[in-house]
Amino acid sequence: MYYTGKAMELQNEKMVLDTEANDYEAKKDEIQKKITINANISVQHLEAAVALLAGSTTESKRQNYKGALSQLVNLYKFMHLPEMQKAVEEKLKTL
């Protein structure tokens, strides 16, 4: 969740730069790289969590599993990965 939050925070910072005229292209590119790095790290952690929590028998772990899947859907949408988003949405529907 930390890396997801960091990516979103950087996305907001980039949006502010979009409205400024002075030397924002270089800053915007730098921020976009950071957004991508943080989003990718977040996906890696969430995919690992999903793998660990799949088939959990306790209610709290099942809820954590659903939460991780939901967050993956959001990140895949944010990263413009519709095939991966749809695959995870299908998993969520079966829960």
Side-chain angles (χ1 to χ4, degrees):
M1 295 303 293
Y2 168 81
Y3 293 104
T4 300
K6 192 70 175 165
M8 297 309 297
E9 179 182 306
L10 290 163
Q11 177 70 17
N12 290 337
E13 188 177 330
K14 182 181 156 201
M15 289 169 51
V16 168
L17 288 175
D18 284 341
T19 62
E20 296 176 358
N22 52 349
D23 193 33
Y24 75 94
E25 281 299 324
K27 291 178 185 178
K28 190 169 105 173
D29 291 342
E30 179 184 333
I31 290 171
Q32 183 59 52
K33 287 177 188 173
K34 290 178 183 179
I35 290 168
T36 301
I37 289 168
N38 282 285
N40 285 331
I41 292 170
S42 184
V43 166
Q44 290 172 357
H45 287 273
L46 286 165
E47 287 174 344
V50 165
L52 289 171
L53 294 167
S56 295
T57 57
T58 65
E59 182 60 27
S60 65
K61 287 184 179 181
R62 283 196 305 265
Q63 291 301 316
N64 289 339
Y65 177 69
K66 287 173 71 174
L69 287 174
S70 294
Q71 189 62 28
L72 273 174
V73 167
N74 294 333
L75 276 168
Y76 289 148
K77 184 176 182 178
F78 173 75
M79 297 170 76
H80 307 287
L81 299 169
E83 297 85 18
M84 297 177 87
Q85 176 188 343
K86 185 176 180 181
V88 176
E89 286 173 339
E90 291 301 317
K91 274 187 191 179
L92 274 170
K93 287 180 184 176
T94 64
L95 299 179

